[in-house]
Amino acid sequence: MSKKLIKDYICLIYPVFTLIYFLYVFFSSIRTGITMTFFLALGVVGICVLGFLTVRTTEDKIFGLYVLYNLLSGIWCVAFGIPVGVYIGEISTTLLPMLLYYAGRGFDEEYAARYYHGFILAALLMGLIGAVFYIWAPQFYIDFSYVNEFISKADAPTMRVRMNSIIGSGPMGAFVAYSACASAYFLRRKEKRERITGLVYIILSILFSFMANQRSAMFCVIMLLVFLNLVDFIVDKNKPVKYLWMEIAAVIALLLGIFVFARGVFEKFLIRLASIPDGFGERSESWVAAVNNMVNFWIGDGLGSHGHRAADYQTYIVADGGLVKIYAEMGLIGTAMIIFVVALVYIKSANNRTVSPEGNADSRRKLSLIVPEIAIITSAILMSIGSNVLEMELCAPIAYFALGRAVRLLNDKDAGEEYVGRFNDEPEDKHDDEVTEGDIEGAPAAEGII
């Protein structure tokens, strides 16, 4: 099997996930979790075959230890009284997605773009399917939503409280929030066609995220818009300030229009956003209970010991709070590992500068290179405060892919050179969209980490 075919397959994993869930609406016999695990496992095997597993940087080494630590934690998870089946189930939804870090670490610019395209299109298709069912409200979909516990009452008004699509409003909100973040990749390209594509992507992603009516997802989308403008106008300084005022005016006009012509919608979303602090109070009791009843706070209670699979064996599970769940299961040692990797990404993105092909330092900080990755990672952290998005097989792979890609761009010289001329402040009369190996004498190949 060729390497190109394997890479193409990895880029299609998310569209395959969407197809699986769509078929599940009409064929209830489909085991969505098992089927997704199968396709994801094939992708992980492909990552290994491609030779993307690497320990070149400090981040690689610590992240590799973190993955190994999660795997070994099954020993004390079972020793502390949790059945081995719970641990194995958690491997499929939590551990396998972690290995997409190495896809982000290994993909060059071309395949990173393909992966983001595949993910965004999968998310938007999920949103489009959800919007159609939300408006149409066929009885078979209402029954499907009730059976899968998306809604508490099998009627159209209850179904329309949130857009559940075919996966539930929680995963749907996270899915399209990540999609909005990934759209920044195309918004910041120099080619006009790519920027238009990115604009369409982000508009639809924002629309679907608000239709999902998840507080954390809506908050992340708002923070993304603020972050994009901070980078454009303060870090890069590559846009006239008049564009900022135009954006602010457009947002104000949009909000006023919704307030005047659809006040009920405006108030609905305002109430949801204003209730974000209440979410902490609703969950804090279970968080405190889980932490206070850990068997060992140094090593944690093991992968899966505080997840929903352990509900029949563990009194203190963390149903909504991914960060607390990580601490309860991985303890101080494991939690410190993943915090260290993420902290290094933030620190390097703030301090490092890009390097031009001539070897001269560019004025642009490396933060400018990893805007979509930083947005996805930060959104994953924020949403993990109140939900378990990092243990959702549907939502977790993109977060780890972004983490791996951020590490690649911050540490690998060849990856940095791939980005030369990427941004839209570059003249468009150049015929080459990227710097290739032939353009830089002596530069390593784009896939040098294979």
Side-chain angles (χ1 to χ4, degrees):
M1 184 180 293
S2 69
K3 290 186 176 182
K4 181 180 184 302
L5 185 60
I6 296 174
K7 292 178 185 178
D8 289 339
Y9 171 81
I10 294 171
C11 293
L12 289 174
I13 286 178
Y14 266 109
V16 169
F17 283 0
T18 298
L19 176 62
I20 291 169
Y21 271 100
F22 182 70
L23 292 175
Y24 175 59
V25 176
F26 305 100
F27 303 98
S28 59
S29 60
I30 293 176
R31 301 289 297 274
T32 55
I34 294 175
T35 308
M36 284 196 303
T37 297
F38 172 76
F39 285 105
L40 182 60
L42 285 181
V44 169
V45 171
I47 290 171
C48 298
V49 171
L50 290 169
F52 282 167
L53 301 183
T54 179
V55 288
R56 289 190 174 186
T57 68
T58 301
E59 295 95 320
D60 293 336
K61 295 171 184 176
I62 300 301
F63 186 81
L65 285 174
Y66 179 67
V67 173
L68 182 61
Y69 189 85
N70 273 263
L71 191 61
L72 293 176
S73 71
I75 297 173
W76 52 91
C77 177
V78 175
F80 292 157
I82 303 298
V84 68
V86 172
Y87 163 71
I88 292 175
E90 200 74 11
I91 287 178
S92 66
T93 56
T94 301
L95 188 63
L96 277 181
M98 290 181 190
L99 297 177
L100 267 294
Y101 167 94
Y102 296 103
R105 191 70 177 84
F107 276 177
D108 61 11
E109 183 80 355
E110 176 188 356
Y111 276 95
R114 290 189 186 186
Y115 186 87
Y116 281 141
H117 270 305
F119 169 74
I120 295 171
L121 290 174
L124 295 184
L125 179 58
M126 195 79 78
L128 180 61
I129 294 170
V132 170
F133 284 146
Y134 183 89
I135 296 169
W136 180 20
Q139 189 59 47
F140 77 86
Y141 173 69
I142 293 175
D143 294 338
F144 167 83
S145 300
Y146 181 75
V147 168
N148 287 276
E149 300 181 347
F150 297 160
I151 55 178
S152 58
K153 187 178 179 182
D155 58 25
T158 305
M159 183 272 293
R160 288 192 173 119
V161 172
R162 301 177 185 178
M163 185 183 76
N164 293 289
S165 187
I166 49 182
I167 54 177
S169 63
M172 186 68 236
F175 214 29
V176 287
Y178 289 146
S179 175
C181 296
S183 300
Y185 177 90
F186 302 101
L187 278 174
R188 295 172 60 75
R189 300 285 294 209
K190 70 171 184 176
E191 303 89 347
K192 184 177 181 180
R193 183 180 62 181
E194 295 283 351
R195 297 202 302 273
I196 293 174
T197 299
L199 182 61
V200 173
Y201 281 167
I202 197 169
I203 289 174
L204 290 176
S205 298
I206 292 172
L207 172 64
F208 292 145
S209 68
F210 275 81
M211 290 183 69
N213 200 15
Q214 284 291 320
R215 292 173 293 194
S216 59
M218 291 188 289
F219 178 77
C220 287
V221 165
I222 294 171
M223 291 298 99
L224 166 67
L225 297 177
V226 173
F227 176 55
L228 287 177
N229 281 289
L230 284 175
V231 174
D232 281 342
F233 294 100
I234 296 179
V235 178
D236 286 352
K237 300 179 181 178
N238 64 347
K239 287 186 178 180
V241 178
K242 67 178 182 179
Y243 289 120
L244 177 60
W245 293 113
M246 290 170 62
E247 288 182 29
I248 294 174
V251 170
I252 292 175
L254 177 63
L255 293 177
L256 285 175
I258 296 174
F259 180 78
V260 172
F261 298 104
R263 185 171 300 185
V265 175
F266 180 88
E267 292 176 348
K268 174 183 176 180
F269 291 131
L270 185 62
I271 291 172
R272 284 292 289 168
L273 288 170
S275 68
I276 288 177
D278 297 335
F280 296 103
E282 295 167 0
R283 298 170 171 85
S284 60
E285 185 175 344
S286 64
W287 296 346
V288 172
V291 172
N292 286 343
N293 288 275
M294 291 170 61
V295 179
N296 190 306
F297 74 92
W298 283 105
I299 63 173
D301 294 350
L303 184 65
S305 60
H306 290 272
H308 68 279
R309 291 186 179 86
D312 294 334
Y313 315 98
Q314 166 70 266
T315 305
Y316 306 101
I317 67 169
V318 183
D320 296 296
L323 300 183
V324 177
K325 180 177 179 292
I326 290 174
Y327 175 73
E329 294 183 351
M330 297 296 107
L332 282 174
I333 296 174
T335 305
M337 291 180 188
I338 191 63
I339 289 176
F340 185 73
V341 174
V342 174
L344 276 181
V345 168
Y346 282 122
I347 292 170
K348 288 185 177 181
S349 65
N351 294 332
N352 288 10
R353 294 181 181 275
T354 59
V355 177
S356 68
E358 294 78 19
N360 300 319
D362 192 281
S363 61
R364 190 179 288 118
R365 291 188 182 274
K366 279 211 169 183
L367 173 62
S368 303
L369 302 182
I370 59 171
V371 166
E373 289 75 27
I374 285 291
I376 292 171
I377 293 167
T378 305
S379 294
I381 294 171
L382 292 175
M383 286 189 284
S384 291
I385 296 174
S387 62
N388 292 358
V389 292
L390 292 179
E391 73 162 353
M392 295 178 185
E393 198 169 10
L394 184 66
C395 301
I398 182 64
Y400 289 108
F401 178 89
L403 181 61
R405 179 154 174 79
V407 172
R408 173 184 174 89
L409 294 174
L410 290 172
N411 291 281
D412 290 5
K413 182 177 180 292
D414 62 323
E417 289 168 350
E418 289 173 0
Y419 265 74
V420 175
R422 169 183 162 183
F423 296 99
N424 57 28
D425 58 343
E426 297 288 336
E428 296 193 19
D429 57 353
K430 297 179 181 178
H431 297 289
D432 53 336
D433 296 333
E434 301 175 2
V435 176
T436 63
E437 182 179 2
D439 296 323
I440 305 174
E441 184 178 358
E447 295 181 346
I449 68 170
I450 295 178

